[in-house]
Amino acid sequence: MPDSEVILRADEITKIYLVGAGVKAVDHLSMEVGRGEFKLVTGPSGCGKSTLLGLLGGLDRPTYGEIYLRDQSYSELSENGLARLRRTEVGFVFQFFNLLNDLTARENVELPMRLVGVQMAEAGDRCADLLSSVGLAERMNHYPHEMSGGEQQRVAIARALANDPAVVLADEPTGNLDSKNSADVMDLFRRLNEERDQTFVVVSHDEAAHDYASEIVHMQDGAICRVEV
Amino acid sequence: MALMQGPRGSGVPAEGTRPQYPVPGLHDSVTVQVPSLAGYADGHPVWNWDDARSIKLQVIGLFSFRVGEKPYIDEETGSYVRDSEGKMEMVPKYLETEDIFIPEETWWAIWEEIAPEGTSPRAYQFNVVLHDMARAEQVAEDLAGGLPGSTVRSVPEQVMIGQRARGQAGVPADMSTVLLIAMFLVAGLLLVANMYVLIMQRRKEMAILKAVGMSGIQVMGLILVEVLFIGLAGALLGFTAVRLVVTGVLLVSEVTAAEIGLLTLQTGALVVGSSTLMAALFGVLPAYLAMKQTTMEVLRDA
């Protein structure tokens, strides 16, 4: 754990899905994420990595335990409060990009800005900057289906950064990309981490991702079994 | 459509003057059952209904029906009263309804047809045939209100009475309401099913919207707006198609453009309003499902 300000903290969180006798996806897990940290979460399929990411991002609530973003407890937030937190403090990147197919790259990136009330002109400028920073200045007006997988993932990364979030949570961001595009995406993460002091929590099976992380968290059966710094 | 039957043999025939009825330009038909006068008993006319003639007249308009110059005494309905000098004074009785109008010429044509020489005209029963069956219950109600001494029945009621008299199960008088409710329920359930399929197809899109910061309530609102739009568009399309046909019929019946416009506005507001309300009611369930879906699982899948 670096000596930086802790911006995200999970405190003994457990998530139980009420399927049959109940499935414990995350089991009494505690972790901290410092500002500017690049944390990699890894482990076998079904060990609860994505569930953990959903909980950290406020997409779901833990059955037990508490999560804090800076000093804000998630359990004290209403559904609208959590949505506001996702709009302003958290950016998500997914394996299958999850762009809206009816919107262009620029419109996809502008969407989170428009949700927080950024004016059209300002959103356009910021969007152009973001897409330039991920190397897609020339592809702003293209639709997702007109782009390669690597390009779509870079649009998704630009969208995640749209509202300058405290943390970017990425769930298998290279899982659907070839080795070259995977390396490009991880390079982009590292560059954003270094240049913008952007905090990342990345879930990945990819061994190559280990080289980029400042800390590697290994999970097993919903709990942290090992941490490499 | 209504059957109206007055009290037979009550009252005293008297001469009257022709009231000044406005003559409308609207047309429908009124069938009058006309009995023949068989003679008098105790000063009252005796009517022969066995060979009653049926007279169908092009009559109906849309806005008022007046049974004027009631030439008989009827204490109950006050169709004639004593004046300040104690003389009997004819008070025309008017039947007001928004649906029927019998022009003066037609009314007198009826009298001339049914009244024997030297007697004042009286009709004891007549049928009112409406083109717009949807208004039958309302017309019957208006007629009953306007003629408290008379029996007014709509055709469904009359059929039910007839069937009961023959020991058969009656047709419920409110069958139209039952059918209407059934239709709305079926349409509503179809809407729910369609919206559910739509949401299943678009659950990823909704999960993305939640991930980028929309709340469940906002996603639900989005779905509801979409359902409302679909309901509104469907209602407008359906109403326009049916209204075009109805307007053609009304034009053939020489109903004026202004009246058609008024009818169109009234029924349009009712149909579109109720359909949109129904869409909103039945759209809540699919919208709620969209709100409650587990976002992370949806976004992990390809």
Side-chain angles (χ1 to χ4, degrees), chain A residues 134-136 149-159 181 185 188:
Chain A
V134 297
L136 291 173
E151 287 173 329
Q152 287 187 54
Q153 194 60 299
R154 280 186 278 157
V155 174
I157 293 166
R159 181 183 64 185
N181 276 309
V185 164
L188 178 60

Side-chain angles (χ1 to χ4, degrees), chain A residues 17 50 53-54 59-60 79-80 83-84 86-87 92 94 96 98-100 111-112 115 159 171, chain B residues 204-205 207-218 294-302:
Chain A
Y17 288 110
S50 296
L53 221 54
L59 278 172
D60 205 352
E79 285 305 314
N80 280 338
R84 197 177 315 114
R86 291 197 299 271
R87 277 199 294 273
F92 281 101
F94 299 95
F96 295 103
N98 287 328
L99 300 173
L100 292 172
L111 179 64
L115 286 175
R159 181 183 64 185
D171 188 11
Chain B
K204 189 159 210 165
E205 183 183 323
I208 293 169
L209 291 173
K210 280 175 87 172
V212 297
M214 270 197 178
S215 66
I217 294 288
Q218 284 175 310
T294 311
T295 310
M296 203 61 197
E297 287 174 9
V298 175
L299 294 174
R300 281 180 62 195
D301 296 336

Side-chain angles (χ1 to χ4, degrees), chain A residues 111-144:
Chain A
L111 179 64
M113 299 182 199
R114 300 293 293 155
L115 286 175
V116 296
V118 176
Q119 293 301 307
M120 191 75 90
E122 187 190 342
D125 291 344
R126 277 169 53 183
C127 176
D129 289 345
L130 281 169
L131 285 170
S132 295
S133 72
V134 297
L136 291 173
E138 307 301 317
R139 306 283 275 164
M140 282 203 296
N141 294 317
H142 286 73
Y143 288 92

Side-chain angles (χ1 to χ4, degrees), chain A:
Chain A
M1 181 72 224
D3 297 332
S4 58
E5 175 200 358
V6 173
I7 56 166
L8 189 58
R9 180 158 61 92
D11 192 2
E12 287 287 308
I13 56 170
T14 297
K15 179 65 184 178
I16 299 171
Y17 288 110
L18 297 175
V19 180
V23 176
K24 203 178 271 187
V26 174
D27 189 6
H28 292 89
L29 185 148
S30 296
M31 73 186 299
E32 291 182 344
V33 181
R35 178 185 292 280
E37 194 178 347
F38 193 129
K39 193 183 286 285
L40 181 73
V41 180
T42 189
S45 290
C47 72
K49 304 184 298 291
S50 296
T51 302
L52 172 65
L53 221 54
L55 295 171
L56 293 176
L59 278 172
D60 205 352
R61 290 181 187 272
T63 312
Y64 308 111
E66 186 59 90
I67 301 170
Y68 299 89
L69 184 81
R70 298 194 182 92
D71 292 326
Q72 176 64 61
S73 159
Y74 283 19
S75 65
E76 290 171 358
L77 292 172
S78 64
E79 285 305 314
N80 280 338
L82 269 183
R84 197 177 315 114
L85 180 133
R86 291 197 299 271
R87 277 199 294 273
T88 55
E89 302 284 10
V90 181
F92 281 101
V93 178
F94 299 95
Q95 179 177 357
F96 295 103
F97 327 130
N98 287 328
L99 300 173
L100 292 172
N101 292 325
D102 295 331
L103 303 183
T104 62
R106 186 177 61 189
E107 289 164 341
N108 266 289
V109 179
E110 277 179 357
L111 179 64
M113 299 182 199
R114 300 293 293 155
L115 286 175
V116 296
V118 176
Q119 293 301 307
M120 191 75 90
E122 187 190 342
D125 291 344
R126 277 169 53 183
C127 176
D129 289 345
L130 281 169
L131 285 170
S132 295
S133 72
V134 297
L136 291 173
E138 307 301 317
R139 306 283 275 164
M140 282 203 296
N141 294 317
H142 286 73
Y143 288 92
H145 63 87
E146 297 169 332
M147 297 176 169
S148 69
E151 287 173 329
Q152 287 187 54
Q153 194 60 299
R154 280 186 278 157
V155 174
I157 293 166
R159 181 183 64 185
L161 298 170
N163 288 326
D164 195 18
V167 60
V168 171
L169 306 172
D171 188 11
E172 300 284 3
T174 59
N176 200 35
L177 300 175
D178 58 30
S179 56
K180 182 187 177 304
N181 276 309
S182 294
D184 286 348
V185 164
M186 293 310 292
D187 284 342
L188 178 60
F189 278 167
R190 180 155 64 185
R191 181 162 61 80
L192 292 166
N193 176 243
E194 289 171 357
E195 290 176 2
R196 298 167 61 125
D197 203 24
Q198 180 66 57
T199 309
F200 283 94
V201 177
V202 178
V203 163
S204 181
H205 277 108
D206 192 352
E207 288 285 329
H210 291 207
D211 298 338
Y212 295 85
S214 55
E215 184 177 289
I216 303 169
V217 175
H218 294 267
M219 281 184 72
Q220 179 89 44
D221 299 330
I224 294 173
C225 59
R226 185 159 55 94
V227 177
E228 290 177 52
V229 180

